[in-house]
Amino acid sequence: MTNIVVLGPPGSGKGTQAELISGRYGWPQVSTGNILRHAIEAKTRLGLEAKACMDRGELVPDGIVDAIVAERIAHADCAKGFILDGFPRDLEQAKALGGIAPIGFVFDIHVPDEVVVERLSQRRVCDCGETYHLKYNPPKRGGVCDKCGGKLYQREDDAEKTIRHRLEVYHKQTEPLIKYYGKKGVLVRIDGTRDIDAVLEEICSHLG
Ligand code: AP5
Ligand code: MG
Ligand code: ZN
């Protein structure tokens, strides 16, 4: 069983890498951000509760995300391992996770703030889950998803002012997890400024 956490600031490439690792090893990607965005789209009560926090670039309350993750990783497809993308995001969540599943690797994808702003302001996404970058990972046809032909758009929280606030939230609430997992001996620091394939190979070199 290989349970992985992909940690890092907004725009560090957590989603990009989690999807690629999932494709290579078969463990499902569990992205709290994607689950919450689907709930917003479906206009469920969960979605309504989460939307205001997400639009402001703040964390959704711990109780909500803890419950989402506990429910998701109990599914049969997670029995051989899973890849958490965007969870845990504060100490409370890390402790909640520790109580329900053992974690083998925490990949801390390190990227400076200025790189984050450049990456997120030029990110484009598709409802099918694919992510592009206008310069570093462009779609074959402008504005159209390679995988499903859907129309690409910008995430609402990718406005520059919101990106800056998400970074503040990251430094204050999430960054302490680096120390927390370092002490547990499962932290692997990854240089996230290299290109997508180089980052993937570095991560996979630890997974064997
Ligand atoms: P979430 O969806 O998790 O957003 P985030 O953490 O801000 O991270 P992003 O998804 O923006 O970036 P990423 O690291 O996945 O990078 P990506 O691969 O897309 O959360 C959104 C919101 O939901 C939160 O603000 C919060 O409100 C709520 N939420 C979610 N989880 C929560 C939790 N646990 N607790 C409470 N609230 C929670 O890459 C970015 C761009 O760069 C793309 O364009 C990509 O193509 C490009 N790129 C990727 N890698 C590289 C590379 N190596 N070189 C060049 N370009 C690259
Ligand atoms: Mg993401
Ligand atoms: Zn698509």
Side-chain angles (χ1 to χ4, degrees):
M1 183 175 57
T2 310
N3 300 333
I4 296 172
V5 168
V6 185
L7 188 70
S12 54
K14 299 184 295 296
T16 300
Q17 294 300 329
E19 199 194 332
L20 292 169
I21 303 166
S22 175
R24 191 174 286 195
Y25 294 90
W27 307 309
Q29 170 188 5
V30 176
S31 159
T32 42
N34 288 350
I35 294 171
L36 292 166
R37 278 183 290 277
H38 284 142
I40 291 177
E41 225 175 284
K43 297 193 166 62
T44 61
R45 209 182 55 147
L46 166 70
L48 288 174
E49 268 181 76
K51 187 172 184 338
C53 300
M54 291 177 75
D55 285 350
R56 285 200 303 272
E58 292 185 0
L59 297 187
V60 172
D62 292 330
I64 295 181
V65 279
D66 290 351
I68 290 175
V69 171
E71 194 270 338
R72 179 63 188 88
I73 66 177
H75 286 212
D77 65 337
C78 290
K80 288 199 177 133
F82 52 79
I83 308 159
L84 288 169
D85 156 19
F87 181 95
R89 268 197 146 78
D90 61 22
L91 280 170
E92 204 281 339
Q93 293 178 18
K95 287 177 186 157
L97 176 64
I100 55 174
I103 298 300
F105 295 92
V106 176
F107 293 108
D108 166 33
I109 309 190
H110 193 81
V111 163
D113 288 6
E114 287 322 303
V115 175
V116 164
V117 176
E118 196 215 358
R119 285 198 188 165
L120 292 186
S121 50
Q122 295 189 62
R123 170 166 65 182
R124 295 295 180 272
V125 297
C126 175
D127 277 336
C128 77
E130 285 295 291
T131 298
Y132 300 87
H133 188 280
L134 296 182
K135 191 161 138 200
Y136 303 121
N137 182 25
K140 293 197 181 78
R141 271 205 298 149
V144 180
C145 178
D146 293 351
K147 197 168 156 192
C148 78
K151 196 165 173 269
L152 302 182
Y153 61 92
Q154 263 193 297
R155 257 170 57 177
E156 286 206 26
D157 58 350
D158 279 350
E160 179 157 349
K161 201 168 152 230
T162 318
I163 296 172
R164 299 259 176 215
H165 187 59
R166 285 159 62 201
L167 274 167
E168 277 170 32
V169 169
Y170 168 78
H171 290 303
K172 197 162 158 230
Q173 295 183 259
T174 310
E175 213 164 29
L177 294 184
I178 296 176
K179 230 184 191 163
Y180 177 83
Y181 283 117
K183 280 190 192 148
K184 292 195 181 293
V186 291
L187 191 83
V188 182
R189 187 178 154 117
I190 302 287
D191 175 4
T193 61
R194 300 163 73 203
D195 67 37
I196 292 173
D197 290 338
V199 174
L200 177 67
E201 290 316 319
E202 194 181 339
I203 290 175
C204 291
S205 73
H206 295 274
L207 294 172

